[in-house]
């Protein structure tokens, strides 16, 4: 398993700044279950970042990940193309999603969280649930994977902050609509940006619907060795990478997690700026060389 | 066991030897090195090494050997240094140790071999660790980094998997490849070496040494697979059933950070030592933003604990630019488990020691970042189970100090990953894998050694356990698998 590992088989943007990769990883494809993730490094000085396995194919030996360019590492990753290699890739990590036949499952996702929700929705459907998906985005062009989700679940509902697609509003408004229509969800899964998961959790707590969230804590090793990913759940400290990433939403201390996610804000901005400046220089050099 | 006294190559009369002063190892100036990550100790020169070796009085009953957990033939290699045959000296050490360049640097010599050196009873003991380091480095530089690789043994056809590439795993791999088995090392992280690469800092143990050791093993035929977690990427059972391994050695280490369970421990800026050191060493956060992984640079850092890990963390914090970097330890300096040299070096580098102090709460600002530590002063009471005097809080001694970073270095528990996915493996109440003297676990064909069995210990003990298990695995393969095949 030398340098020729972790080959990118295909890479394409599926929304502005959101890229879908198919990566050669036969061992991981064979083992992974819904809810699990990988940790990768883009280059030999790179950071380790966790990304959910959105899909996989055991026979063909690949996994699919969907990446939103947020800061330095994800932006760098999104410059890679088919034929390129990742520096490092390890997984599957985390505990698989606990799936049972709850009855009616509402799967709420926002942004790139929809990619993370796909395997869970599929597994829940396979377990016999009626699955309703609620996908939220700021606007129409930022919606991802809604067609793929449509193939899996019984019904997809969409909300956008600006009303450019689906219901004008938030995913929590759509959940309220559903309840108003007389549908009683037995279980809610919420995956997306932290404020969205916190809002869903607050909403379902008041109406007593069990809710599961997938926490995106900052990680380093992903094996339980460092404790970077710790969060407070039910008053106890957990390590998200080995005890999660999924937890009972109503027990999660979202405020603490929100603050922990911002731990390196300043450095992250500095790192991203350096990266963009280097990219600019590269583009300029290429333009010079091409005589533009 | 009867020991043949080695041939003497020391021209100096015994009485005169005792007048030779212990040779000081050159080191970087404290005020320069506390701003860089280069190695602190520079190693003895050839002349110094020979002089130091001549201090050994060639005891009839060399107690030094008994002090070494792997019984290195210390007087023998020392005589070979006197003879100036440094490569032979290195090979002598390698009969008993697989990682002399590492142990010469990080062994707690003052409580092992050097503690019982006869010269040390009245004078300063022979600097065995420094001599070991000298010959190991010499051998590496002179193309004999590995004394025994030359001709490969007959293949036995047996396949052995080693899980974890710390000193236990590397030592086991080294001994097993010698026998002609097929050996594959699986490592969860993206570099090999365990704590030696992710925990112990560059300024104490340069990574280049580990890379050379791993390259040596690779040259001798050991297969190394990184980014592969047994228990997740593949289970232990599958190693046997699908990959066809005949035996497995588990050298998983004690990689589970302990916290203190006090309020404010999840504030930003509060790290486990494992995280802080991993970000700095493995991920090279000290070179941010050239390297991508960020790391706090504190003004006033406190490190809670008194072991080697705490010393590594505090000296790292200092090097990252902390104006004040302090050790906060609940007992007194006498009870500190860290090596003397680390404590001494830390002091030289400007680290402050707050002994008999224990934090009880960390206080944060509105962004969730730590800004202060609430502490109690302690005094020493009756001895506890460890034989050390128990620290007890002094009533009304509470005080608050401003800090912007805290590193918790109060020890590690055992990583539960394998135990969780392999019910056949018996563990004790601390989560350590239960194994006998030879490393045999409760599961057939599975052996274990190092920190995963003993709890956090030392490099040399882990290495010794790896070697013992290798011997037991050989025996197992001969009797068990051999008879089936
Ligand atoms: C279990 C899990 C699954 C995830 N799945 C996906 C996914 O499928 N697709 C996707 O686009 N993103 C996913 N993420 C988030 C992704 O890991 C971060 O966006 C990425 O690490 C950002 O790194 P950066 O350098 O690009 O941005 P930065 O500018 O460094 O950080 C942007 C934000 O990302 C978070 N972050 C930074 N470093 C890390 C890190 N080492 N580990 C975790 N979070 C970090 C922080 O909250 C930070 O504020 C997942 C995170 C977790 C924990
Ligand atoms: C900061 C620090 C400083 C220290 N300083 C000293 C010192 O000065 N002197 C001294 O003698 N000792 C020191 N020690 C202790 C010493 O490093 C350890 O006792 C020794 O490294 C233990 O060796 P090991 O092989 O058992 O495990 P480790 O060195 O812990 O190696 C275990 C390896 O196994 C890997 N692994 C774990 N689980 C899996 C899995 N499921 N699949 C694949 N791989 C896995 C881990 O990633 C790791 O690389 C120090 C420890 C620390 C943390
Ligand atoms: S391995 Fe450690 S204890 Fe043994 S001789 Fe070397 S330094 Fe001393
Ligand atoms: S005990 Fe000391 S003096 Fe005696 S043989 Fe060993 S190293 Fe030499
Ligand atoms: S990421 Fe290190 S323990 Fe979870």
């Amino acid at each position: 398993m030398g340098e020729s590992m972790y080959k990118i088989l295909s890479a394409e943007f599926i929304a502005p700044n959101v890229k879908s990769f198919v990566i050669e990883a036969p061992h991981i494809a064979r083992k992974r279950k819904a809810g699990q993730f990988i940790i990768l490094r883009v280059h030999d000085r790179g950071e380790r970042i966790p990304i959910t396995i959105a899909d996989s194919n055991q026979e063909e030996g690949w996994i699919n990940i969907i990446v939103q360019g947020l800061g330095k590492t994800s932006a760098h990753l999104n410059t890679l193309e088919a034929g390129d290699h990742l520096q490092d890739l390890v997984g599957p990590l985390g505990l698989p999603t606990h799936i049972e036949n709850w009855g009616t499952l509402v799967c709420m996702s926002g942004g790139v969280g929809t990619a993370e929700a796909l395997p869970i929705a599929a597994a829940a459907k396979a377990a016999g649930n009626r699955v309703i998906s609620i996908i939220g985005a700021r606007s129409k062009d930022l919606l991802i994977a809604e067609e793929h989700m449509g193939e899996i679940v019984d019904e997809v509902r969409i909300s956008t902050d600006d009303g450019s697609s689906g219901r004008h509003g938030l995913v929590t408004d759509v959940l309220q609509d559903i309840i108003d229509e007389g549908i009683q969800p037995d279980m809610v899964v919420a995956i997306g940006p932290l404020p969205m998961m916190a809002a869903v959790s607050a909403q379902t707590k008041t109406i007593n619907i069990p809710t599961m969230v997938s926490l995106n804590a900052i990680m380093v090793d992903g094996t339980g060795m460092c404790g970077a990913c710790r969060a407070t759940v039910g008053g106890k400290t957990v390590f998200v990478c080995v005890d999660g990433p999924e937890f009972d939403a109503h027990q999660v201390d979202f405020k603490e997690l929100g603050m922990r996610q911002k731990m390196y804000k300043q450095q992250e901005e500095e790192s991203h700026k350096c990266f963009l400046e280097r990219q600019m220089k590269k583009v300029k050099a290429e333009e010079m060389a091409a005589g533009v | 066991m009867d020991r043949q006294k080695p041939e003497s190559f020391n021209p100096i009369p015994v009485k005169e030897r005792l007048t030779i002063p212990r040779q000081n190892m050159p080191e970087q100036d404290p005020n320069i090195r506390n701003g860089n990550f280069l190695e602190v100790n520079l190693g003895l020169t050839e002349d110094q090494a020979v002089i130091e070796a001549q201090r050994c009085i060639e005891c009839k009953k060399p107690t030094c050997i008994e002090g070494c957990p792997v019984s290195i033939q210390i007087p023998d290699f020392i005589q070979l240094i006197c003879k100036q045959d440094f490569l032979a000296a290195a090979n002598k050490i390698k009969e008993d140790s697989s990682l002399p360049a590492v142990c010469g640097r990080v062994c707690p010599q003052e409580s092992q071999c050097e503690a019982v050196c006869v010269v040390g009873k009245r004078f300063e003991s022979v600097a065995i660790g420094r001599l070991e380091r000298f010959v190991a480095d010499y051998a590496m530089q002179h193309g004999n980094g590995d004394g025994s690789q030359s001709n490969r043994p007959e293949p036995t056809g047996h396949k052995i998997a080693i899980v974890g590439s710390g000193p236990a795993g590397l030592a086991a791999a080294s001994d097993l490849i010698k026998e002609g088995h097929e050996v594959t090392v699986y490592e969860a992280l993206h570099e090999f070496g365990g704590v030696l690469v992710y925990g112990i800092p560059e300024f104490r143990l340069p990574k280049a040494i580990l890379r050379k050791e791993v390259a040596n093993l690779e040259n001798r035929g050991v297969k190394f697979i990184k980014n592969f977690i047994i228990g997740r990427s593949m289970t232990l059972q599958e190693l046997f059933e699908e990959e066809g391994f005949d035996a497995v050695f588990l050298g998983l280490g004690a990689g589970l950070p302990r916290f203190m369970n006090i309020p404010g421990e999840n504030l930003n800026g509060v790290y486990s030592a494992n995280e802080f050191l991993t970000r700095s060493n493995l991920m090279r956060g000290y070179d941010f933003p050239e390297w991508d992984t960020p790391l706090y640079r504190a003004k006033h850092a406190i490190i809670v604990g008194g072991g080697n890990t705490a010393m590594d963390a505090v000296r790292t914090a200092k090097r990252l630019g902390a104006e004040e970097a302090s050790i906060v330890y609940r007992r007194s300096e006498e009870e500190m488990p860290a090596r003397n040299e680390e404590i001494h070096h830390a002091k030289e580098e400007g680290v402050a020691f707050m002994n008999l102090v224990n934090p009880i709460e960390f206080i944060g600002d509105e962004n969730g970042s730590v800004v202060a530590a609430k502490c109690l002063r302690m005094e020493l009471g009756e001895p506890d189970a460890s034989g050390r005097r128990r620290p007890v809080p002094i009533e009304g001694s509470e005080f608050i100090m401003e800090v912007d970073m805290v590193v918790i270095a109060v020890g590690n528990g055992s990583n539960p990953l394998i135990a969780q996915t392999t019910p056949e493996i018996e563990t004790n109440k601390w989560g350590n894998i239960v194994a006998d003297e030879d490393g045999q676990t409760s599961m057939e064909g599975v052996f274990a050694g190092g920190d995963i069995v003993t709890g956090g210990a030392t490099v040399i003990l882990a290495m010794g356990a790896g070697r013992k298990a290798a011997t037991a695995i050989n025996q197992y393969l001969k009797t068990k698998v051999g008879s089936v095949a």
Side-chain angles (χ1 to χ4, degrees):
Chain A
M1 302 208 180
E3 298 310 309
S4 63
M5 283 287 292
Y6 325 128
K7 185 174 176 189
I8 297 173
L9 302 174
S10 76
E12 56 176 315
F13 280 102
I14 56 169
N17 228 1
V18 178
K19 205 165 185 177
S20 172
F21 294 91
V22 173
I23 303 167
E24 192 175 270
H27 277 295
I28 302 176
R30 209 160 69 102
K31 279 276 125 148
R32 53 84 45 165
K33 295 210 171 72
Q36 289 187 301
F37 61 96
I38 49 105
I39 283 188
L40 61 79
R41 285 204 314 155
V42 177
H43 66 131
D44 65 357
R45 279 170 286 123
E47 189 177 8
R48 296 169 67 97
I49 65 162
I51 302 286
T52 305
I53 305 167
D55 196 2
S56 66
N57 184 312
Q58 191 170 327
E59 284 73 46
E60 295 171 18
W62 52 255
I63 59 168
N64 170 223
I65 58 172
I66 295 176
V67 181
Q68 179 175 30
L70 257 190
K72 154 83 217 258
T73 305
S74 48
H76 190 173
L77 178 57
N78 282 358
T79 64
L80 300 189
E81 299 292 350
D84 289 340
H85 294 260
L86 297 175
Q87 177 74 28
D88 291 297
L89 176 67
V90 62
L93 299 167
L95 298 175
T97 309
H98 170 77
I99 303 274
E100 54 182 276
N101 190 348
W102 295 287
T104 300
L105 170 72
V106 176
C107 185
M108 303 168 73
S109 59
V112 74
T114 304
E116 303 174 42
L118 286 171
I120 298 173
K125 184 70 199 153
N129 290 282
R130 170 187 185 195
V131 184
I132 303 172
S133 154
I134 307 176
I135 301 177
R138 261 182 290 129
S139 65
K140 187 171 192 272
D141 57 331
L142 296 172
L143 280 169
I144 62 159
E146 74 271 26
E147 279 162 31
H148 194 163
M149 188 62 95
E151 292 161 16
I152 295 171
V153 301
D154 296 280
E155 184 188 348
V156 177
R157 300 199 187 193
I158 286 169
S159 71
T160 49
D161 296 8
D162 62 1
S164 52
S165 179
R167 189 198 202 281
H168 190 164
L170 305 170
V171 285
T172 42
D173 298 326
V174 181
L175 180 63
Q176 194 54 53
D177 294 347
I178 289 178
I179 292 164
D180 292 344
E181 287 165 27
I183 300 170
Q184 180 56 38
D186 299 296
M187 181 75 190
V188 167
V189 173
I191 302 181
L194 204 63
M196 171 243 168
M197 293 194 287
V200 171
S201 175
Q203 181 187 22
T204 58
K205 196 170 186 173
T206 58
I207 50 179
N208 261 322
I209 307 173
T211 301
M212 195 164 73
V213 285
S214 179
L215 301 183
N216 38 5
I218 294 182
M219 295 185 180
V220 184
D221 62 303
T223 67
M225 179 271 279
C226 78
C229 60
R230 61 198 191 278
T232 301
V233 178
K236 282 208 193 82
T237 294
V238 296
F239 287 7
V240 173
C241 71
V242 285
D243 301 324
E246 280 147 21
F247 295 95
D248 174 356
H250 301 155
Q251 303 291 323
V252 172
D253 183 341
F254 286 103
K255 183 165 170 253
E256 178 188 272
L257 188 62
M259 292 197 288
R260 284 188 68 78
Q261 280 187 348
K262 296 198 190 82
M263 180 150 168
Y264 297 105
K265 206 166 176 6
Q266 200 188 328
Q267 286 104 315
E268 282 159 1
E269 278 162 14
E270 184 188 342
S271 178
H272 198 191
K273 215 175 105 209
C274 285
F275 175 71
L276 292 178
E277 277 165 11
R278 251 178 281 151
Q279 288 291 102
M280 287 289 281
K281 273 195 204 134
K282 221 167 99 185
V283 171
K284 280 217 182 95
E286 277 164 15
E287 283 175 357
M288 295 267 276
V292 180
Chain B
M1 206 175 27
D2 263 354
R3 221 186 138 264
Q4 188 106 47
K5 204 170 168 222
E7 191 182 347
S8 176
F9 295 100
N10 195 341
I12 304 190
V14 170
K15 272 215 182 112
E16 275 174 46
R17 294 182 197 172
L18 295 173
T19 65
I20 308 173
R22 183 171 154 118
Q23 299 297 293
N24 278 324
M25 177 152 47
E27 48 188 43
Q28 274 197 72
D29 182 272
N31 290 319
I32 294 175
R33 72 181 190 235
N34 66 13
N36 70 46
F37 278 82
L38 302 175
E39 194 174 10
V40 168
N41 289 326
L42 304 173
L44 298 175
T45 64
E46 280 183 33
D47 290 343
Q48 278 185 310
V50 173
I51 297 172
E52 185 62 39
Q54 288 170 345
R55 296 183 63 232
C56 170
I57 55 173
E58 301 170 56
C59 306
K60 266 206 204 76
K61 202 174 160 291
T63 45
C64 53
I65 300 181
E66 287 159 32
C68 171
V70 298
S71 307
I72 288 181
Q73 299 300 300
I74 296 166
D76 304 51
F77 93 73
I78 287 183
Q79 283 318 305
L80 290 166
I81 297 178
C82 289
K83 194 187 171 192
Q84 305 202 28
D85 190 348
F86 306 129
L87 290 180
N91 287 338
K92 189 47 114 185
I93 297 175
K94 286 201 174 140
E95 288 175 16
D96 300 295
S97 165
S98 348
L99 298 166
V102 175
C103 295
R105 284 175 168 80
V106 306
C107 241
Q109 293 99 4
E110 72 270 9
S111 56
Q112 299 182 356
C113 54
E114 294 181 18
V116 288
C117 166
V118 174
V119 173
K121 290 208 176 103
R122 289 191 43 215
F123 304 90
E124 281 189 285
S125 60
V126 176
I128 302 168
R130 292 176 184 176
L131 290 174
E132 182 174 333
R133 171 194 159 132
F134 167 80
V135 291
D137 285 0
Y138 183 93
M140 270 195 177
Q141 279 153 21
H142 293 79
N144 189 17
D146 157 46
S148 52
Q149 87 272 53
S150 36
N151 38 4
R152 283 207 191 172
E154 274 299 298
T156 61
H158 292 313
K159 282 178 70 177
I160 300 151
I162 310 267
V163 186
S165 64
L170 293 179
S174 174
D175 279 8
L176 289 165
I177 198 79
K178 251 186 231 161
E179 298 294 320
H181 306 309
E182 223 182 280
V183 180
T184 307
V185 177
Y186 292 97
E187 169 56 51
L189 295 172
H190 60 263
E191 279 202 48
F192 302 103
V195 170
L196 310 184
V197 296
Y198 79 68
I200 302 183
E202 181 77 14
F203 57 78
R204 207 146 72 77
L205 180 65
K207 301 223 173 354
I209 292 177
L210 262 303
R211 295 222 178 87
K212 271 194 193 146
E213 295 289 2
V214 170
N216 271 334
L217 288 172
E218 243 173 348
N219 286 337
R220 289 166 54 199
V222 177
K223 223 165 105 189
F224 282 91
I225 297 181
K226 59 179 179 171
N227 296 321
F228 206 94
I229 305 177
I230 301 303
R232 285 259 197 267
S233 314
M234 192 179 279
T235 63
L236 199 49
Q237 289 89 338
E238 285 165 332
L239 283 178
F240 288 103
E241 288 159 19
E242 292 178 21
E243 300 295 306
F245 285 102
D246 299 305
V248 175
F249 174 74
L250 301 175
L252 309 171
L256 179 76
R258 269 199 211 114
F259 287 92
M260 304 178 71
N261 299 317
I262 60 176
E265 240 175 343
N266 290 350
L267 288 167
N268 289 346
V270 180
Y271 286 102
S272 75
N274 279 3
E275 181 188 354
F276 182 65
L277 291 169
T278 300
R279 282 181 179 272
S280 178
N281 298 321
L282 180 71
M283 306 311 298
R284 217 159 131 183
Y286 62 81
D287 266 343
F288 181 86
E290 278 70 40
W291 288 60
D292 294 342
T293 303
L295 184 58
Y296 258 43
R297 287 174 183 260
K299 280 206 185 66
H300 184 192
I302 58 168
I303 284 71
V304 185
N308 287 320
T309 308
M311 296 306 144
D312 285 343
V314 78
R315 296 169 72 196
T316 297
K318 190 82 197 168
R319 281 163 171 75
L320 287 167
E323 286 159 25
E324 272 179 82
S326 321
I327 286 284
V328 171
Y329 183 53
R330 65 196 178 119
R331 304 183 197 246
S332 71
E333 192 172 317
E334 234 169 84
E335 286 86 18
M336 277 196 178
R339 299 173 72 222
N340 287 348
E341 187 180 75
E342 309 318 326
I343 298 173
H344 171 73
H345 276 159
K347 283 188 176 160
E348 280 183 345
E349 287 164 13
V351 165
F353 282 68
M354 300 177 68
N355 293 323
L356 293 165
V357 172
N358 201 30
I360 49 169
E361 181 181 348
F362 302 117
I363 299 161
D365 65 8
E366 67 283 359
N367 301 317
S369 300
V370 65
V371 291
K374 193 188 279 182
C375 303
L376 288 179
R377 293 195 191 280
M378 315 291 278
E379 60 191 352
L380 293 179
E382 295 299 307
D384 63 11
S386 73
R388 296 179 300 177
R389 291 175 64 194
R390 185 195 304 274
V392 280
I394 300 175
E395 222 169 294
S397 66
E398 196 174 296
F399 68 100
I400 287 182
M401 68 177 144
E402 281 182 31
V403 298
D404 57 353
M405 185 173 95
V406 176
V407 179
I408 311 284
V410 296
N412 283 313
S414 294
N415 194 306
L417 240 172
I418 290 261
Q420 274 171 5
T421 52
T422 323
E424 295 93 322
I425 298 272
E426 192 190 328
T427 55
N428 65 17
K429 64 175 171 184
W430 298 284
N432 298 326
I433 290 180
V434 177
D436 70 12
E437 262 292 283
D438 295 328
Q440 173 69 56
T441 69
S442 56
M443 186 172 167
E444 185 178 337
V446 179
F447 297 76
D451 282 4
I452 187 64
V453 171
T454 55
T458 59
V459 174
I460 189 71
L461 285 172
M463 201 202 76
R467 298 203 63 196
K468 264 200 185 148
T471 309
I473 288 172
N474 274 324
Q475 200 52 41
Y476 168 77
L477 292 175
K478 270 195 201 112
T479 54
K480 187 79 191 173
V481 181
S483 62
V484 178

